[in-house]
Amino acid sequence: MHVLVTITATEGSASIIRSSQIKSYHAGDVGHLLVNVVEADGLQDKSLGRRQPFVALELVNQRFQTRPREGIWKLKWDKEFELCVADIHTELEVTVCDASETPNHVLGRVIIPLTHVQSGVRRWYRLKDKSLRKRAKGEDPKVLLEMTLSYNVLKAASKMFFPREVKYES
């Protein structure tokens, strides 16, 4: 039997632990990923009404999101999230959605392999469409992230011999 537990945090509902405060990892985890969603820019305009974009982060079966902001230019969140890393060879999915539409309209996505994370560096990531094949609509749509990855090298290496965690679709 598989049980899926979804944890969603918004501003003010979860405390963030800085990487310097982390003393140990959970039994099955190899490390932690601290993601600071700084801002987004150049998103696709809406013909009627105003957009209310938010950023969703997914790492295997963990999902966090920012609160929606109104507009499409220089949207600032400066919100930090901590994700537990069970396998260093997984990918962080970053999705920018519009909360003003039901279901939430995807404005852009980017997938970042954890092995490519440059700890402590703020970097702009260009957004692609929902299928990840073409550039997202808008004027150079992008999201600014700062990530810090800390992990145990021996645990990460030992995970290569075990099957990946199953990702459940919501």
Side-chain angles (χ1 to χ4, degrees):
M1 175 166 70
H2 295 284
V3 177
L4 172 64
V5 178
T6 304
I7 301 171
T8 304
T10 57
E11 290 181 60
S13 68
S15 62
I16 301 300
I17 301 171
R18 298 243 179 237
S19 58
S20 61
Q21 297 173 322
I22 299 170
K23 294 188 173 78
S24 64
Y25 305 122
H26 298 296
D29 295 339
V30 298
H32 295 277
L33 176 66
L34 190 65
V35 180
N36 183 8
V37 179
V38 181
E39 68 179 282
D41 195 18
L43 303 176
Q44 178 187 11
D45 201 3
K46 192 173 183 178
S47 56
L48 295 173
R50 296 191 53 99
R51 293 233 183 256
Q52 293 179 334
F54 65 91
V55 177
L57 305 172
E58 289 184 57
L59 184 65
V60 188
N61 291 318
Q62 301 173 76
R63 186 176 197 279
F64 294 94
Q65 71 182 45
T66 63
R67 285 199 175 174
R69 296 277 191 251
E70 199 162 296
I72 59 168
W73 299 105
K74 296 286 185 189
L75 300 165
K76 296 202 182 286
W77 286 281
D78 202 23
K79 181 70 179 155
E80 286 187 343
F81 299 98
E82 180 190 10
L83 296 99
C84 296
V85 178
D87 185 356
I88 197 71
H89 301 286
T90 55
E91 300 166 328
L92 176 68
E93 294 181 31
V94 181
T95 308
V96 181
C97 298
D98 184 3
S100 68
E101 296 184 23
T102 307
N104 294 333
H105 175 69
V106 175
L107 299 173
R109 291 180 64 198
V110 64
I111 294 183
I112 306 162
L114 294 186
T115 54
H116 294 162
V117 169
Q118 297 173 341
S119 289
V121 177
R122 280 191 177 190
R123 182 173 167 204
W124 285 101
Y125 292 90
R126 297 201 189 288
L127 297 173
K128 296 190 173 218
D129 66 352
K130 189 175 182 177
S131 67
L132 295 169
R133 293 190 178 153
K134 297 184 231 167
R135 189 174 65 86
K137 294 180 181 176
E139 296 196 27
D140 192 24
K142 56 193 172 195
V143 62
L144 180 61
L145 303 174
E146 181 178 352
M147 295 183 276
T148 303
L149 178 63
S150 59
Y151 63 96
N152 181 315
V153 178
L154 294 176
K155 277 188 171 184
S158 71
K159 286 286 186 170
M160 291 185 346
F161 301 106
F162 298 104
R164 284 189 171 188
E165 183 178 354
V166 176
K167 181 176 179 182
Y168 298 97
E169 299 296 325
S170 53

